[in-house]
Amino acid sequence: MPFVRTAVPKGTETSRKQQIVQGIHDALVEGIGMPKDELFNLVTEYGDGEFFYDRGFNGIARSDDLIVVEITMRRGRSDAMKRDLYAAITRNLEGRAAVSPRDVFIFMHENDYSDWSVGNGVFAMAIAQQRGSDS
């Protein structure tokens, strides 16, 4: 279950946030086989003086519309899968939310089941291959 944090410029419309979230989610579902019901994306806004970045880092011209996507998930995806995932996220954000590919930063954090509890205070390692029964 990936957990995603997405930072967007202050004042980003709710509908655009939803398009960004859905673009990221669809890339995860298609790119790494994540189940469709595993949507967990915390969106935060940053304002002037809250996020500083080099607009020309690595030869890429960035705007004031920079989007930061941080994905935390269980380790085990190949570099090729990650490369394809990053491309799909960027493609989806450009096509659905008019975000320039130059303005998409993506960071991956990997860990193990022992680093998670996703409900009821249960150690995720104990339920790694099970579903809850609260529904």
Side-chain angles (χ1 to χ4, degrees), residues 7-9 12 16 46 53 55 62-68 97-100 103-104:
V8 300
T12 300
R16 189 166 190 231
Y46 63 87
Y53 56 91
R55 296 184 187 283
R62 291 171 185 81
S63 75
D64 292 333
D65 198 28
L66 192 68
I67 307 293
V68 179
V99 177
S100 169
D103 288 328
V104 180

Side-chain angles (χ1 to χ4, degrees), residues 109-122:
H109 307 282
E110 294 182 306
N111 54 33
D112 297 308
Y113 282 119
S114 62
D115 299 309
W116 296 77
S117 175
V118 295
N120 295 328
V122 177

Side-chain angles (χ1 to χ4, degrees), residues 49-126:
E50 296 177 329
F51 180 36
F52 299 90
Y53 56 91
D54 188 312
R55 296 184 187 283
F57 173 72
N58 211 24
I60 299 172
R62 291 171 185 81
S63 75
D64 292 333
D65 198 28
L66 192 68
I67 307 293
V68 179
V69 180
E70 291 185 75
I71 303 168
T72 302
M73 66 180 176
R74 181 180 45 81
R75 88 180 18 77
R77 277 58 177 213
S78 69
D79 287 349
M81 289 176 80
K82 292 176 195 175
R83 182 180 55 243
D84 292 346
L85 175 63
Y86 302 157
I89 289 171
T90 302
R91 190 171 48 251
N92 287 355
L93 296 188
E94 181 179 33
R96 297 176 189 189
V99 177
S100 169
R102 291 184 215 108
D103 288 328
V104 180
F105 261 39
I106 304 170
F107 301 94
M108 180 79 65
H109 307 282
E110 294 182 306
N111 54 33
D112 297 308
Y113 282 119
S114 62
D115 299 309
W116 296 77
S117 175
V118 295
N120 295 328
V122 177
F123 184 54
M125 184 67 84

